Amino acid sequence: MSAERYNRQIILKGFGEEAQQKLLRAKVLVIGVGGLGCPALQYLTAAGIGHIGIVDDDTISLSNLHRQILFTTADIGKLKVEVAAKRLQDMNPQIGIIRHPIRLQKNNILDILSRYDYILDGTDNFESRYLINDACALLNKPLIFVAVSGFEGQLAIFNTPDHLTPSTNYRDIFPIPPHKGEIPNCTENGIIGVLPGVLGTMAAAETIKLIAKIGQPLTNKILSYNLLTQEQYTINISHGDDYILPKTVDEFLNMDYQDTSEGPQGYIEIDATELVQLQQLDSTILIDVRERHEVPVLDKQIFTQVPMSEFGAFMGKEFYQKHVVLICQHGIRSVAAAEAMQEKYGDAKKIYSLKGGIIKWRDHFLKS
Amino acid sequence: MEIEIISFGQIAEFINHQKIEVDGIADTDAFKRYLEDRFPTLKGMKYKLALNKNIVQQNTEIKNQATIAIMPPFSGG
């Protein structure tokens, strides 16, 4: 290795040559090359982690660029893993970058994770997060967990015992995944670019601390970070006993990670033309499940406002209309609402969700 | 008895950081009932409580001037 490249951290008191050697021998897998994965990968690469694997099956789009800082405008449409690998290799040709342009699933995740010593989860959905958590717990791999929502983030290290507590996992905090639409994601809710930058960098720092055995990594702790106040709040995690964690490969393969919102899919996804037809019927109620602050504002005479945050209360009431059309910004929350309605009413009412939401049919909503 | 409530993410949108003066809340189960009664939106949500910075895994006694944090899961990236 070139000692000069890492000179400034080698000469740092409390780090040194020995810690640098540990980084060079480490194999780290970063899952998700998004807002969190990009900055994490940049610092892990620059710091001299010997082998870095990167997983993502997605391509780069224009709306990624405000937070996914490994990519340029010219990269739009290209595979994230390919562009990231090239850029990282240019940054540091002395380390190994391994590309995994796939989506991790039950049948491939154990094989890939077993090739690495540390796993950094920077994905963007609960399905992946529970899949990765359970796989790491099964394989006993240290997991650096990092996630964002709105102006806040969460950061934790799982599957790593410390002197006080045997190793914990994500299910010790949240035993089962939320239903689809219960927690808004970045597509629905928006995200300020610098937030995953901060959290992704903090996740890289925790990974480096864990490998180099310096400081006090967030082992068995979860840190909450608020960008607007710069406040942090750290909570100690202990073992819970109200969840099922697969203990064998067979049990793991039998887990259901695909759809976290069970319930029969009896509702129908419609387009704007079908919406217009349904709108003609007296027995139709059109429900806008977006929060009250969201734009564009629709005609409240036509669209009944029932934000998702008030949906539970609304479900307790009765109404006469037989056809129920649920709409939201992108057609994701409306699916969650449709599932809840379907579960309650079964065949008693016909439930519809506008696929693609108001954004997809913008022209229709703006003219009406 | 005084309890400080700290909340995160979308829960902070309807439960502010606040100190409450209550009687008859002896433990975390009772506190949960109080919360879901006062903030019905919470009922349909996944969240975890932490009492004085320790995750609540079973019903735990609450003492005066306790701090309870309410945390939802985040998945964004």
Side-chain angles (χ1 to χ4, degrees):
Chain A
M1 80 170 186
S2 154
E4 192 184 345
R5 175 182 289 271
Y6 308 115
N7 172 269
R8 297 300 187 276
Q9 58 195 35
I10 291 173
I11 61 171
L12 177 67
K13 205 175 160 194
F15 197 82
E17 182 66 40
E18 199 184 324
Q20 189 62 49
Q21 287 300 329
K22 286 178 182 147
L23 299 191
L24 283 168
R25 284 195 297 269
K27 295 176 181 170
V28 177
L29 183 69
V30 175
I31 309 173
V33 191
L36 294 165
C38 283
L41 281 165
Q42 282 173 298
Y43 276 106
L44 293 175
T45 298
I49 301 290
H51 291 271
I52 300 178
I54 49 182
V55 181
D56 204 310
D57 70 337
D58 205 2
T59 53
I60 298 153
S61 58
L62 182 59
S63 65
N64 294 154
L65 298 184
H66 85 296
R67 67 189 187 284
Q68 301 181 15
I69 51 171
L70 274 172
F71 312 131
T72 68
T73 312
D75 295 327
I76 290 169
K78 295 179 188 165
L79 261 180
K80 289 184 175 180
V81 162
E82 290 300 329
V83 176
K86 186 175 180 313
R87 197 137 300 144
L88 296 168
Q89 201 71 81
D90 287 347
M91 276 175 65
N92 189 348
Q94 295 179 321
I95 65 164
I97 306 278
I98 304 107
R99 301 161 162 88
H100 301 285
I102 53 165
R103 188 174 183 86
L104 289 182
Q105 286 165 333
K106 272 195 299 193
N107 58 9
N108 60 17
I109 188 170
L110 297 179
D111 173 43
I112 290 177
L113 262 55
S114 60
R115 302 178 212 170
Y116 296 88
D117 310 317
Y118 301 88
I119 315 299
L120 193 160
D121 176 4
T123 57
D124 63 357
N125 63 86
F126 283 111
E127 271 175 48
S128 298
R129 294 201 177 270
Y130 279 83
L131 176 77
I132 294 163
N133 177 72
D134 291 5
C136 284
L138 181 63
L139 298 171
N140 209 17
K141 297 280 179 190
L143 169 63
I144 297 92
F145 170 94
V146 59
V148 289
S149 177
F151 291 99
E152 297 175 43
Q154 292 174 343
L155 178 61
I157 298 175
F158 298 120
N159 299 317
T160 307
D162 59 25
H163 62 287
L164 291 171
T165 319
S167 67
T168 52
N169 74 88
Y170 190 57
R171 288 189 193 265
D172 286 309
I173 313 173
F174 302 109
I176 54 167
H179 291 294
K180 219 178 267 171
E182 191 182 313
I183 305 289
N185 61 28
C186 296
T187 313
E188 287 270 297
N189 211 28
I191 191 87
I192 189 162
V194 68
L195 174 72
V198 172
L199 267 297
T201 304
M202 285 166 80
E206 288 307 297
T207 310
I208 289 167
K209 284 161 63 184
L210 199 58
I211 297 169
K213 298 196 186 337
I214 58 165
Q216 285 99 41
L218 288 165
T219 310
N220 297 322
K221 290 180 171 68
I222 181 161
L223 178 147
S224 296
Y225 171 87
N226 187 320
L227 182 95
L228 295 179
T229 59
Q230 290 291 7
E231 280 180 324
Q232 301 186 2
Y233 194 82
T234 306
I235 291 168
N236 300 310
I237 309 168
S238 56
H239 271 282
D241 51 12
D242 53 349
Y243 61 86
I244 298 164
L245 196 64
K247 297 280 194 309
T248 65
V249 173
D250 278 349
E251 280 179 32
F252 177 75
L253 293 174
N254 280 321
M255 295 285 288
D256 182 14
Y257 296 102
Q258 280 302 318
D259 188 7
T260 54
S261 55
E262 61 271 348
Q265 197 203 317
Y267 63 88
I268 301 162
E269 291 198 279
I270 57 168
D271 60 21
T273 316
E274 292 162 288
L275 175 67
V276 172
Q277 288 165 1
L278 282 161
Q279 236 172 309
Q280 318 296 328
L281 305 173
D282 283 343
S283 57
T284 297
I285 179 170
L286 303 168
I287 300 177
D288 178 2
V289 301
R290 296 175 305 158
E291 299 303 313
R292 295 185 193 280
H293 59 83
E294 290 181 70
V295 290
V297 176
L298 303 182
D299 186 344
K300 293 187 182 68
Q301 300 293 322
I302 303 172
F303 298 93
T304 307
Q305 261 192 313
V306 185
M308 283 307 274
S309 57
E310 299 165 23
F311 205 75
F314 179 79
M315 287 288 284
K317 296 178 192 159
E318 290 303 326
F319 52 93
Y320 73 89
Q321 290 94 336
K322 191 169 184 304
H323 299 278
V324 186
V325 183
L326 298 146
I327 64 168
C328 69
Q329 203 78 337
H330 296 275
I332 298 173
R333 282 170 291 177
S334 59
V335 161
E339 284 175 352
M341 282 263 172
Q342 184 69 36
E343 199 167 319
K344 178 176 177 192
Y345 291 106
D347 294 335
K349 289 185 193 295
K350 293 289 278 182
I351 315 294
Y352 308 87
S353 167
L354 180 66
K355 197 176 171 75
I358 294 162
I359 293 300
K360 176 158 185 193
W361 308 104
R362 195 186 281 111
D363 294 346
H364 166 81
F365 285 100
L366 290 183
K367 76 173 187 298
S368 60
Chain B
M1 180 166 78
E2 189 182 85
I3 300 175
E4 182 176 4
I5 302 176
I6 295 173
S7 60
F8 300 101
Q10 57 173 165
I11 293 174
E13 289 170 18
F14 59 91
I15 305 180
N16 299 328
H17 182 184
Q18 56 191 282
K19 281 184 179 166
I20 55 166
E21 191 59 50
V22 282
D23 286 312
I25 299 182
D27 52 39
T28 49
D29 280 359
F31 181 74
K32 252 181 141 157
R33 284 195 296 274
Y34 163 83
L35 269 185
E36 295 190 358
D37 208 41
R38 208 177 131 197
F39 307 101
T41 310
L42 201 58
K43 267 185 217 167
M45 297 175 69
K46 305 275 182 303
Y47 66 93
K48 197 77 172 178
L49 296 182
L51 174 61
N52 299 326
K53 298 199 163 187
N54 292 309
I55 285 273
V56 174
Q57 298 292 20
Q58 61 264 313
N59 194 17
T60 310
E61 186 195 353
I62 299 176
K63 295 199 171 116
N64 188 29
Q65 300 203 313
T67 301
I68 301 181
I70 315 163
M71 182 171 56
F74 291 174
S75 75

